[in-house]
PDB file of all heavy atoms in Angstrom:
ATOM      1  N   ILE A 102     -16.827   1.386   7.056  1.00 98.00           N
ATOM      2  CA  ILE A 102     -15.665   0.727   6.452  1.00 98.00           C
ATOM      3  C   ILE A 102     -15.971   0.329   5.009  1.00 98.00           C
ATOM      4  O   ILE A 102     -15.163   0.558   4.097  1.00 98.00           O
ATOM      5  CB  ILE A 102     -15.244  -0.502   7.286  1.00 98.00           C
ATOM      6  CG1 ILE A 102     -14.645  -0.051   8.630  1.00 98.00           C
ATOM      7  CG2 ILE A 102     -14.221  -1.343   6.517  1.00 98.00           C
ATOM      8  CD1 ILE A 102     -14.331  -1.190   9.582  1.00 98.00           C
ATOM      9  N   ARG A 103     -17.131  -0.253   4.789  1.00 98.00           N
ATOM     10  CA  ARG A 103     -17.500  -0.647   3.417  1.00 98.00           C
ATOM     11  C   ARG A 103     -17.616   0.578   2.513  1.00 98.00           C
ATOM     12  O   ARG A 103     -17.181   0.548   1.348  1.00 98.00           O
ATOM     13  CB  ARG A 103     -18.828  -1.419   3.433  1.00 98.00           C
ATOM     14  CG  ARG A 103     -18.727  -2.816   4.035  1.00 98.00           C
ATOM     15  CD  ARG A 103     -19.932  -3.669   3.653  1.00 98.00           C
ATOM     16  NE  ARG A 103     -21.192  -3.108   4.140  1.00 98.00           N
ATOM     17  CZ  ARG A 103     -21.717  -3.385   5.335  1.00 98.00           C
ATOM     18  NH1 ARG A 103     -21.077  -4.200   6.172  1.00 98.00           N
ATOM     19  NH2 ARG A 103     -22.869  -2.864   5.705  1.00 98.00           N
ATOM     20  N   LYS A 104     -18.205   1.630   3.052  1.00 98.00           N
ATOM     21  CA  LYS A 104     -18.368   2.855   2.257  1.00 98.00           C
ATOM     22  C   LYS A 104     -17.008   3.449   1.891  1.00 98.00           C
ATOM     23  O   LYS A 104     -16.791   3.897   0.759  1.00 98.00           O
ATOM     24  CB  LYS A 104     -19.220   3.866   3.034  1.00 98.00           C
ATOM     25  CG  LYS A 104     -19.597   5.112   2.225  1.00 98.00           C
ATOM     26  CD  LYS A 104     -20.423   6.079   3.068  1.00 98.00           C
ATOM     27  CE  LYS A 104     -21.839   5.591   3.271  1.00 98.00           C
ATOM     28  NZ  LYS A 104     -22.634   5.732   2.022  1.00 98.00           N
ATOM     29  N   MET A 105     -16.058   3.426   2.846  1.00 98.00           N
ATOM     30  CA  MET A 105     -14.736   3.982   2.562  1.00 98.00           C
ATOM     31  C   MET A 105     -13.989   3.129   1.541  1.00 98.00           C
ATOM     32  O   MET A 105     -13.334   3.665   0.637  1.00 98.00           O
ATOM     33  CB  MET A 105     -13.914   4.097   3.845  1.00 98.00           C
ATOM     34  CG  MET A 105     -12.500   4.661   3.627  1.00 98.00           C
ATOM     35  SD  MET A 105     -12.471   6.312   2.845  1.00 98.00           S
ATOM     36  CE  MET A 105     -12.750   7.337   4.299  1.00 98.00           C
ATOM     37  N   ARG A 106     -14.081   1.834   1.657  1.00 98.00           N
ATOM     38  CA  ARG A 106     -13.440   0.975   0.658  1.00 98.00           C
ATOM     39  C   ARG A 106     -13.976   1.271  -0.745  1.00 98.00           C
ATOM     40  O   ARG A 106     -13.220   1.367  -1.716  1.00 98.00           O
ATOM     41  CB  ARG A 106     -13.681  -0.495   0.993  1.00 98.00           C
ATOM     42  CG  ARG A 106     -12.858  -1.029   2.153  1.00 98.00           C
ATOM     43  CD  ARG A 106     -13.195  -2.480   2.378  1.00 98.00           C
ATOM     44  NE  ARG A 106     -12.544  -3.037   3.545  1.00 98.00           N
ATOM     45  CZ  ARG A 106     -13.051  -4.011   4.292  1.00 98.00           C
ATOM     46  NH1 ARG A 106     -14.245  -4.515   4.002  1.00 98.00           N
ATOM     47  NH2 ARG A 106     -12.399  -4.484   5.337  1.00 98.00           N
ATOM     48  N   ALA A 107     -15.294   1.426  -0.842  1.00 98.00           N
ATOM     49  CA  ALA A 107     -15.915   1.738  -2.137  1.00 98.00           C
ATOM     50  C   ALA A 107     -15.421   3.087  -2.649  1.00 98.00           C
ATOM     51  O   ALA A 107     -15.141   3.252  -3.849  1.00 98.00           O
ATOM     52  CB  ALA A 107     -17.440   1.741  -2.004  1.00 98.00           C
ATOM     53  N   ALA A 108     -15.302   4.051  -1.739  1.00 98.00           N
ATOM     54  CA  ALA A 108     -14.846   5.390  -2.126  1.00 98.00           C
ATOM     55  C   ALA A 108     -13.402   5.354  -2.616  1.00 98.00           C
ATOM     56  O   ALA A 108     -13.055   5.976  -3.637  1.00 98.00           O
ATOM     57  CB  ALA A 108     -14.979   6.346  -0.948  1.00 98.00           C
ATOM     58  N   LEU A 109     -12.547   4.616  -1.925  1.00 98.00           N
ATOM     59  CA  LEU A 109     -11.153   4.511  -2.333  1.00 98.00           C
ATOM     60  C   LEU A 109     -11.023   3.831  -3.692  1.00 98.00           C
ATOM     61  O   LEU A 109     -10.176   4.209  -4.514  1.00 98.00           O
ATOM     62  CB  LEU A 109     -10.352   3.747  -1.281  1.00 98.00           C
ATOM     63  CG  LEU A 109     -10.134   4.455   0.061  1.00 98.00           C
ATOM     64  CD1 LEU A 109      -9.525   3.506   1.085  1.00 98.00           C
ATOM     65  CD2 LEU A 109      -9.254   5.692  -0.101  1.00 98.00           C
ATOM     66  N   CYS A 110     -11.854   2.839  -3.926  1.00 98.00           N
ATOM     67  CA  CYS A 110     -11.835   2.140  -5.220  1.00 98.00           C
ATOM     68  C   CYS A 110     -12.332   3.034  -6.356  1.00 98.00           C
ATOM     69  O   CYS A 110     -11.919   2.870  -7.517  1.00 98.00           O
ATOM     70  CB  CYS A 110     -12.682   0.874  -5.148  1.00 98.00           C
ATOM     71  SG  CYS A 110     -11.961  -0.426  -4.113  1.00 98.00           S
ATOM     72  N   GLU A 111     -13.206   3.970  -6.044  1.00 98.00           N
ATOM     73  CA  GLU A 111     -13.754   4.870  -7.069  1.00 98.00           C
ATOM     74  C   GLU A 111     -12.802   6.008  -7.405  1.00 98.00           C
ATOM     75  O   GLU A 111     -12.869   6.586  -8.497  1.00 98.00           O
ATOM     76  CB  GLU A 111     -15.092   5.441  -6.585  1.00 98.00           C
ATOM     77  CG  GLU A 111     -15.821   6.256  -7.639  1.00 98.00           C
ATOM     78  CD  GLU A 111     -17.148   6.808  -7.145  1.00 98.00           C
ATOM     79  OE1 GLU A 111     -17.695   6.292  -6.147  1.00 98.00           O
ATOM     80  OE2 GLU A 111     -17.646   7.775  -7.758  1.00 98.00           O
ATOM     81  N   LEU A 112     -11.920   6.344  -6.468  1.00 98.00           N
ATOM     82  CA  LEU A 112     -11.005   7.466  -6.676  1.00 98.00           C
ATOM     83  C   LEU A 112     -10.077   7.218  -7.860  1.00 98.00           C
ATOM     84  O   LEU A 112      -9.479   6.148  -7.976  1.00 98.00           O
ATOM     85  CB  LEU A 112     -10.176   7.683  -5.400  1.00 98.00           C
ATOM     86  CG  LEU A 112      -9.087   8.755  -5.471  1.00 98.00           C
ATOM     87  CD1 LEU A 112      -9.716  10.148  -5.576  1.00 98.00           C
ATOM     88  CD2 LEU A 112      -8.174   8.666  -4.257  1.00 98.00           C
ATOM     89  N   VAL A 113      -9.961   8.210  -8.726  1.00 98.00           N
ATOM     90  CA  VAL A 113      -9.029   8.148  -9.852  1.00 98.00           C
ATOM     91  C   VAL A 113      -8.173   9.406  -9.846  1.00 98.00           C
ATOM     92  O   VAL A 113      -8.694  10.522  -9.933  1.00 98.00           O
ATOM     93  CB  VAL A 113      -9.762   8.034 -11.206  1.00 98.00           C
ATOM     94  CG1 VAL A 113      -8.757   8.039 -12.362  1.00 98.00           C
ATOM     95  CG2 VAL A 113     -10.630   6.786 -11.258  1.00 98.00           C
ATOM     96  N   ILE A 114      -6.869   9.228  -9.697  1.00 98.00           N
ATOM     97  CA  ILE A 114      -5.927  10.342  -9.817  1.00 98.00           C
ATOM     98  C   ILE A 114      -4.794   9.852 -10.700  1.00 98.00           C
ATOM     99  O   ILE A 114      -3.961   9.053 -10.266  1.00 98.00           O
ATOM    100  CB  ILE A 114      -5.360  10.795  -8.455  1.00 98.00           C
ATOM    101  CG1 ILE A 114      -6.469  11.117  -7.454  1.00 98.00           C
ATOM    102  CG2 ILE A 114      -4.464  12.027  -8.646  1.00 98.00           C
ATOM    103  CD1 ILE A 114      -5.964  11.474  -6.059  1.00 98.00           C
ATOM    104  N   GLU A 115      -4.754  10.301 -11.942  1.00 98.00           N
ATOM    105  CA  GLU A 115      -3.699   9.888 -12.866  1.00 98.00           C
ATOM    106  C   GLU A 115      -2.742  11.051 -13.104  1.00 98.00           C
ATOM    107  O   GLU A 115      -3.161  12.203 -13.239  1.00 98.00           O
ATOM    108  CB  GLU A 115      -4.302   9.426 -14.199  1.00 98.00           C
ATOM    109  CG  GLU A 115      -5.097   8.127 -14.073  1.00 98.00           C
ATOM    110  CD  GLU A 115      -5.534   7.571 -15.417  1.00 98.00           C
ATOM    111  OE1 GLU A 115      -5.177   8.174 -16.451  1.00 98.00           O
ATOM    112  OE2 GLU A 115      -6.242   6.547 -15.428  1.00 98.00           O
ATOM    113  N   GLY A 116      -1.477  10.730 -13.129  1.00 98.00           N
ATOM    114  CA  GLY A 116      -0.439  11.751 -13.321  1.00 98.00           C
ATOM    115  C   GLY A 116       0.525  11.796 -12.152  1.00 98.00           C
ATOM    116  O   GLY A 116       1.668  12.253 -12.303  1.00 98.00           O
ATOM    117  N   ILE A 117       0.078  11.340 -10.987  1.00 98.00           N
ATOM    118  CA  ILE A 117       0.948  11.238  -9.818  1.00 98.00           C
ATOM    119  C   ILE A 117       0.686   9.892  -9.135  1.00 98.00           C
ATOM    120  O   ILE A 117      -0.360   9.282  -9.322  1.00 98.00           O
ATOM    121  CB  ILE A 117       0.701  12.371  -8.792  1.00 98.00           C
ATOM    122  CG1 ILE A 117      -0.750  12.330  -8.282  1.00 98.00           C
ATOM    123  CG2 ILE A 117       1.055  13.733  -9.372  1.00 98.00           C
ATOM    124  CD1 ILE A 117      -1.028  13.236  -7.095  1.00 98.00           C
ATOM    125  N   ASP A 118       1.642   9.447  -8.346  1.00 98.00           N
ATOM    126  CA  ASP A 118       1.430   8.269  -7.513  1.00 98.00           C
ATOM    127  C   ASP A 118       0.658   8.689  -6.265  1.00 98.00           C
ATOM    128  O   ASP A 118       0.788   9.821  -5.794  1.00 98.00           O
ATOM    129  CB  ASP A 118       2.774   7.675  -7.082  1.00 98.00           C
ATOM    130  CG  ASP A 118       3.592   7.155  -8.246  1.00 98.00           C
ATOM    131  OD1 ASP A 118       2.978   6.610  -9.186  1.00 98.00           O
ATOM    132  OD2 ASP A 118       4.832   7.299  -8.223  1.00 98.00           O
ATOM    133  N   HIS A 119      -0.138   7.770  -5.720  1.00 98.00           N
ATOM    134  CA  HIS A 119      -0.842   8.059  -4.468  1.00 98.00           C
ATOM    135  C   HIS A 119      -1.087   6.769  -3.700  1.00 98.00           C
ATOM    136  O   HIS A 119      -0.830   5.668  -4.207  1.00 98.00           O
ATOM    137  CB  HIS A 119      -2.157   8.808  -4.729  1.00 98.00           C
ATOM    138  CG  HIS A 119      -3.136   8.059  -5.568  1.00 98.00           C
ATOM    139  ND1 HIS A 119      -4.019   7.138  -5.053  1.00 98.00           N
ATOM    140  CD2 HIS A 119      -3.377   8.092  -6.913  1.00 98.00           C
ATOM    141  CE1 HIS A 119      -4.753   6.644  -6.026  1.00 98.00           C
ATOM    142  NE2 HIS A 119      -4.386   7.191  -7.177  1.00 98.00           N
ATOM    143  N   ASN A 120      -1.578   6.888  -2.482  1.00 98.00           N
ATOM    144  CA  ASN A 120      -1.622   5.756  -1.557  1.00 98.00           C
ATOM    145  C   ASN A 120      -3.002   5.149  -1.349  1.00 98.00           C
ATOM    146  O   ASN A 120      -3.218   4.434  -0.367  1.00 98.00           O
ATOM    147  CB  ASN A 120      -1.065   6.199  -0.193  1.00 98.00           C
ATOM    148  CG  ASN A 120      -1.909   7.292   0.458  1.00 98.00           C
ATOM    149  OD1 ASN A 120      -2.677   7.980  -0.216  1.00 98.00           O
ATOM    150  ND2 ASN A 120      -1.786   7.452   1.757  1.00 98.00           N
ATOM    151  N   ALA A 121      -3.965   5.409  -2.238  1.00 98.00           N
ATOM    152  CA  ALA A 121      -5.333   4.924  -2.030  1.00 98.00           C
ATOM    153  C   ALA A 121      -5.395   3.393  -1.936  1.00 98.00           C
ATOM    154  O   ALA A 121      -6.089   2.849  -1.072  1.00 98.00           O
ATOM    155  CB  ALA A 121      -6.257   5.429  -3.131  1.00 98.00           C
ATOM    156  N   ASP A 122      -4.694   2.699  -2.805  1.00 98.00           N
ATOM    157  CA  ASP A 122      -4.712   1.227  -2.766  1.00 98.00           C
ATOM    158  C   ASP A 122      -4.123   0.707  -1.458  1.00 98.00           C
ATOM    159  O   ASP A 122      -4.620  -0.255  -0.869  1.00 98.00           O
ATOM    160  CB  ASP A 122      -3.934   0.649  -3.953  1.00 98.00           C
ATOM    161  CG  ASP A 122      -4.661   0.829  -5.280  1.00 98.00           C
ATOM    162  OD1 ASP A 122      -5.872   1.136  -5.254  1.00 98.00           O
ATOM    163  OD2 ASP A 122      -4.021   0.679  -6.336  1.00 98.00           O
ATOM    164  N   PHE A 123      -3.060   1.358  -1.012  1.00 98.00           N
ATOM    165  CA  PHE A 123      -2.430   0.970   0.252  1.00 98.00           C
ATOM    166  C   PHE A 123      -3.409   1.139   1.418  1.00 98.00           C
ATOM    167  O   PHE A 123      -3.535   0.251   2.277  1.00 98.00           O
ATOM    168  CB  PHE A 123      -1.183   1.828   0.481  1.00 98.00           C
ATOM    169  CG  PHE A 123      -0.525   1.618   1.814  1.00 98.00           C
ATOM    170  CD1 PHE A 123       0.318   0.538   2.024  1.00 98.00           C
ATOM    171  CD2 PHE A 123      -0.739   2.508   2.856  1.00 98.00           C
ATOM    172  CE1 PHE A 123       0.933   0.343   3.258  1.00 98.00           C
ATOM    173  CE2 PHE A 123      -0.138   2.317   4.093  1.00 98.00           C
ATOM    174  CZ  PHE A 123       0.708   1.234   4.299  1.00 98.00           C
ATOM    175  N   LEU A 124      -4.140   2.237   1.436  1.00 98.00           N
ATOM    176  CA  LEU A 124      -5.115   2.480   2.501  1.00 98.00           C
ATOM    177  C   LEU A 124      -6.229   1.446   2.470  1.00 98.00           C
ATOM    178  O   LEU A 124      -6.717   1.007   3.523  1.00 98.00           O
ATOM    179  CB  LEU A 124      -5.687   3.895   2.368  1.00 98.00           C
ATOM    180  CG  LEU A 124      -4.691   5.038   2.573  1.00 98.00           C
ATOM    181  CD1 LEU A 124      -5.336   6.373   2.219  1.00 98.00           C
ATOM    182  CD2 LEU A 124      -4.167   5.060   3.997  1.00 98.00           C
ATOM    183  N   CYS A 125      -6.631   1.060   1.276  1.00 97.00           N
ATOM    184  CA  CYS A 125      -7.668   0.038   1.138  1.00 97.00           C
ATOM    185  C   CYS A 125      -7.186  -1.291   1.717  1.00 97.00           C
ATOM    186  O   CYS A 125      -7.941  -2.013   2.377  1.00 97.00           O
ATOM    187  CB  CYS A 125      -8.026  -0.122  -0.339  1.00 97.00           C
ATOM    188  SG  CYS A 125      -9.721  -0.665  -0.622  1.00 97.00           S
ATOM    189  N   GLU A 126      -5.918  -1.606   1.493  1.00 97.00           N
ATOM    190  CA  GLU A 126      -5.336  -2.824   2.046  1.00 97.00           C
ATOM    191  C   GLU A 126      -5.302  -2.772   3.573  1.00 97.00           C
ATOM    192  O   GLU A 126      -5.587  -3.759   4.254  1.00 97.00           O
ATOM    193  CB  GLU A 126      -3.920  -3.018   1.495  1.00 97.00           C
ATOM    194  CG  GLU A 126      -3.870  -3.346   0.015  1.00 97.00           C
ATOM    195  CD  GLU A 126      -2.459  -3.279  -0.539  1.00 97.00           C
ATOM    196  OE1 GLU A 126      -1.510  -3.146   0.280  1.00 97.00           O
ATOM    197  OE2 GLU A 126      -2.298  -3.355  -1.763  1.00 97.00           O
ATOM    198  N   VAL A 127      -4.953  -1.611   4.109  1.00 97.00           N
ATOM    199  CA  VAL A 127      -4.907  -1.447   5.572  1.00 97.00           C
ATOM    200  C   VAL A 127      -6.286  -1.684   6.175  1.00 97.00           C
ATOM    201  O   VAL A 127      -6.435  -2.359   7.199  1.00 97.00           O
ATOM    202  CB  VAL A 127      -4.387  -0.040   5.954  1.00 97.00           C
ATOM    203  CG1 VAL A 127      -4.532   0.195   7.458  1.00 97.00           C
ATOM    204  CG2 VAL A 127      -2.937   0.132   5.522  1.00 97.00           C
ATOM    205  N   MET A 128      -7.308  -1.153   5.509  1.00 97.00           N
ATOM    206  CA  MET A 128      -8.664  -1.291   6.033  1.00 97.00           C
ATOM    207  C   MET A 128      -9.200  -2.712   5.913  1.00 97.00           C
ATOM    208  O   MET A 128     -10.234  -3.038   6.495  1.00 97.00           O
ATOM    209  CB  MET A 128      -9.600  -0.308   5.324  1.00 97.00           C
ATOM    210  CG  MET A 128      -9.242   1.140   5.595  1.00 97.00           C
ATOM    211  SD  MET A 128     -10.465   2.276   4.956  1.00 97.00           S
ATOM    212  CE  MET A 128     -11.831   1.948   6.028  1.00 97.00           C
ATOM    213  N   SER A 129      -8.489  -3.553   5.174  1.00 96.00           N
ATOM    214  CA  SER A 129      -8.882  -4.958   5.055  1.00 96.00           C
ATOM    215  C   SER A 129      -8.158  -5.847   6.064  1.00 96.00           C
ATOM    216  O   SER A 129      -8.425  -7.041   6.142  1.00 96.00           O
ATOM    217  CB  SER A 129      -8.597  -5.466   3.636  1.00 96.00           C
ATOM    218  OG  SER A 129      -9.382  -4.763   2.690  1.00 96.00           O
ATOM    219  N   MET A 130      -7.252  -5.271   6.828  1.00 97.00           N
ATOM    220  CA  MET A 130      -6.547  -6.035   7.853  1.00 97.00           C
ATOM    221  C   MET A 130      -7.512  -6.403   8.979  1.00 97.00           C
ATOM    222  O   MET A 130      -8.376  -5.601   9.361  1.00 97.00           O
ATOM    223  CB  MET A 130      -5.372  -5.237   8.407  1.00 97.00           C
ATOM    224  CG  MET A 130      -4.277  -4.968   7.389  1.00 97.00           C
ATOM    225  SD  MET A 130      -2.942  -3.914   8.029  1.00 97.00           S
ATOM    226  CE  MET A 130      -2.176  -5.037   9.214  1.00 97.00           C
ATOM    227  N   GLU A 131      -7.376  -7.592   9.489  1.00 96.00           N
ATOM    228  CA  GLU A 131      -8.300  -8.091  10.511  1.00 96.00           C
ATOM    229  C   GLU A 131      -8.350  -7.184  11.730  1.00 96.00           C
ATOM    230  O   GLU A 131      -9.429  -6.895  12.263  1.00 96.00           O
ATOM    231  CB  GLU A 131      -7.901  -9.509  10.935  1.00 96.00           C
ATOM    232  CG  GLU A 131      -8.856 -10.128  11.948  1.00 96.00           C
ATOM    233  CD  GLU A 131      -8.455 -11.533  12.358  1.00 96.00           C
ATOM    234  OE1 GLU A 131      -7.499 -12.082  11.764  1.00 96.00           O
ATOM    235  OE2 GLU A 131      -9.085 -12.086  13.286  1.00 96.00           O
ATOM    236  N   GLU A 132      -7.189  -6.704  12.177  1.00 97.00           N
ATOM    237  CA  GLU A 132      -7.138  -5.844  13.366  1.00 97.00           C
ATOM    238  C   GLU A 132      -7.880  -4.533  13.143  1.00 97.00           C
ATOM    239  O   GLU A 132      -8.485  -3.998  14.071  1.00 97.00           O
ATOM    240  CB  GLU A 132      -5.692  -5.581  13.764  1.00 97.00           C
ATOM    241  CG  GLU A 132      -4.995  -6.760  14.398  1.00 97.00           C
ATOM    242  CD  GLU A 132      -3.540  -6.458  14.687  1.00 97.00           C
ATOM    243  OE1 GLU A 132      -3.261  -5.836  15.720  1.00 97.00           O
ATOM    244  OE2 GLU A 132      -2.690  -6.834  13.860  1.00 97.00           O
ATOM    245  N   PHE A 133      -7.800  -4.016  11.901  1.00 98.00           N
ATOM    246  CA  PHE A 133      -8.548  -2.790  11.639  1.00 98.00           C
ATOM    247  C   PHE A 133     -10.046  -3.081  11.616  1.00 98.00           C
ATOM    248  O   PHE A 133     -10.842  -2.336  12.193  1.00 98.00           O
ATOM    249  CB  PHE A 133      -8.131  -2.141  10.321  1.00 98.00           C
ATOM    250  CG  PHE A 133      -8.825  -0.826  10.075  1.00 98.00           C
ATOM    251  CD1 PHE A 133      -8.297   0.352  10.573  1.00 98.00           C
ATOM    252  CD2 PHE A 133     -10.039  -0.767   9.392  1.00 98.00           C
ATOM    253  CE1 PHE A 133      -8.957   1.567  10.400  1.00 98.00           C
ATOM    254  CE2 PHE A 133     -10.708   0.432   9.206  1.00 98.00           C
ATOM    255  CZ  PHE A 133     -10.155   1.604   9.710  1.00 98.00           C
ATOM    256  N   GLU A 134     -10.413  -4.142  10.962  1.00 97.00           N
ATOM    257  CA  GLU A 134     -11.836  -4.466  10.832  1.00 97.00           C
ATOM    258  C   GLU A 134     -12.507  -4.666  12.186  1.00 97.00           C
ATOM    259  O   GLU A 134     -13.634  -4.231  12.396  1.00 97.00           O
ATOM    260  CB  GLU A 134     -12.009  -5.709   9.964  1.00 97.00           C
ATOM    261  CG  GLU A 134     -11.715  -5.476   8.490  1.00 97.00           C
ATOM    262  CD  GLU A 134     -11.997  -6.703   7.651  1.00 97.00           C
ATOM    263  OE1 GLU A 134     -11.870  -7.835   8.187  1.00 97.00           O
ATOM    264  OE2 GLU A 134     -12.345  -6.554   6.470  1.00 97.00           O
TER     265      GLU A 134
END
């Protein structure tokens, strides 16, 4: 989980919208953790 959060934070895609921040938020939910 920590590794995936770090990976999502490192991802950069400029020019289109994407859902990386949303996924990071989901992985921070207590039920997911």
Side-chain angles (χ1 to χ4, degrees):
I102 290 174
R103 289 197 299 271
K104 187 181 286 287
M105 179 58 83
R106 285 180 185 150
L109 291 171
C110 290
E111 187 180 341
L112 176 69
V113 177
I114 306 176
E115 292 188 2
I117 60 170
D118 296 323
H119 61 85
N120 63 340
D122 288 345
F123 174 81
L124 295 172
C125 209
E126 291 170 9
V127 172
M128 296 188 69
S129 297
M130 295 176 69
E131 183 180 353
E132 287 176 82
F133 184 87
E134 289 184 331

